[in-house]
Amino acid sequence: SQKIEQNSEALNIQEGKTATLTCNYTNYSPAYLQWYRQDPGRGPVFLLLIRENEKEKRKERLKVTFDTTLKQSLFHITASQPADSATYLCALEIDSNSNSGYALNFGKGTSLLVTP
Amino acid sequence: DGGITQSPKYLFRKEGQNVTLSCEQNLNHDAMYWYRQDPGQGLRLIYYSQIVNDFQKGDIAEGYSVSREKKESFPLTVTSAQKNPTAFYLCASRRGLAGAETQYFGPGTRLLVL
């Protein structure tokens, strides 16, 4: 079965450091992978999409890598701030035939806490 | 404002009762989705729809039903057959039918059983 695994333990880091979150997957052959941020009691918000032919993608203080050989994506937040504290989810397209359309499966997410 | 609205924010269900969660979008998106999230858990796909009058089951469709009579609306009914309905329900939409599209989420509805 298809699985998306993210670190279940919360990640606590000090303000100003780089946070690195991991997403591993099995039984997927993804053309792309997405990362979302979710704050408590709210819906997830899209952050970044990286395609299989892109090794790395950046957006401001965010950086995502995608290694289809290792079946892994890393999500980095540099110069982290307390406002970055949230749960971060990675997502992959489910396997479906063309008649069923497209939908995303999400990992359980990793909770990040940035302390001053 | 463009976006996805869900109502109500909190919903209480009595034993044996069916309840309907509303989801509306004015983004002109073709695809719409319902997810369920339990504490400490990820999002699990309940149902999704790519076009009007058509929808597909997700991983946990049992005990739920949906309709897609209009492009902008995708209501979810939690039936009495769903024995453990307490959860946070999220509706999402996506622009196109092709891949590599991001999903936009509503604010969610929290369903509680009395």
Side-chain angles (χ1 to χ4, degrees):
Chain A
S1 62
Q2 294 180 314
K3 288 185 180 179
I4 303 172
E5 296 180 352
Q6 296 185 251
N7 291 350
S8 57
E9 292 185 10
L11 179 62
N12 293 343
I13 65 167
Q14 197 171 18
E15 183 176 8
K17 302 291 187 183
T18 296
T20 298
L21 286 68
T22 304
C23 175
N24 295 299
Y25 58 90
T26 54
N27 294 323
Y28 283 92
S29 298
Y32 58 92
L33 181 147
Q34 303 187 31
W35 283 90
Y36 288 75
R37 168 181 172 144
Q38 186 176 23
D39 291 284
R42 295 179 175 269
V45 174
F46 169 76
L47 295 175
L48 280 168
L49 181 152
I50 185 167
R51 299 178 187 275
E52 61 178 338
N53 60 351
E54 297 174 314
K55 296 295 183 186
E56 177 180 300
K57 197 152 189 183
R58 294 175 183 262
K59 179 183 176 182
E60 298 173 352
R61 294 184 295 109
L62 309 180
K63 184 180 86 171
V64 172
T65 63
F66 193 17
D67 189 327
T68 55
T69 301
L70 291 179
K71 298 186 184 298
Q72 181 181 80
S73 175
L74 299 178
F75 178 81
H76 306 271
I77 305 175
T78 58
S80 59
Q81 304 167 359
D84 295 326
S85 299
T87 296
Y88 292 86
L89 309 168
C90 79
L92 290 166
E93 204 78 51
I94 64 171
D95 264 349
S96 66
N97 59 51
S98 59
N99 293 329
S100 297
Y102 296 85
L104 290 177
N105 271 342
F106 287 81
K108 293 184 179 180
T110 298
S111 176
L112 172 66
L113 179 63
V114 181
T115 54
Chain B
D1 283 340
I4 302 176
T5 56
Q6 290 186 242
S7 62
K9 187 171 182 177
Y10 295 95
L11 185 58
F12 298 91
R13 193 190 92 163
K14 296 180 181 178
E15 291 287 338
Q17 187 181 40
N18 291 356
V19 292
T20 297
L21 285 62
S22 169
C23 178
E24 303 278 331
Q25 54 99 359
N26 61 3
L27 300 168
N28 199 31
H29 285 176
D30 289 308
M32 297 187 74
Y33 308 84
W34 275 106
Y35 291 88
R36 168 181 172 145
Q37 188 174 35
D38 294 279
Q41 300 295 314
L43 281 66
R44 291 186 289 169
L45 184 64
I46 305 173
Y47 268 100
Y48 60 108
S49 168
Q50 304 294 306
I51 56 173
V52 173
N53 292 324
D54 189 37
F55 44 83
Q56 289 78 39
K57 293 182 179 180
D59 297 326
I60 55 166
E62 185 174 350
Y64 300 97
S65 66
V66 292
S67 63
R68 186 87 186 274
E69 297 177 0
K70 298 185 297 182
K71 186 176 183 178
E72 56 271 22
S73 178
F74 191 39
L76 173 75
T77 296
V78 184
T79 74
S80 57
Q82 173 50 245
K83 298 306 179 187
N84 185 22
T86 297
F88 188 47
Y89 290 86
L90 288 159
C91 178
S93 70
R94 183 150 70 161
R95 182 178 60 178
L97 303 182
E101 294 279 355
T102 62
Q103 288 186 192
Y104 295 82
F105 284 84
T109 292
R110 193 166 297 278
L111 177 61
L112 300 165
V113 176
L114 295 177

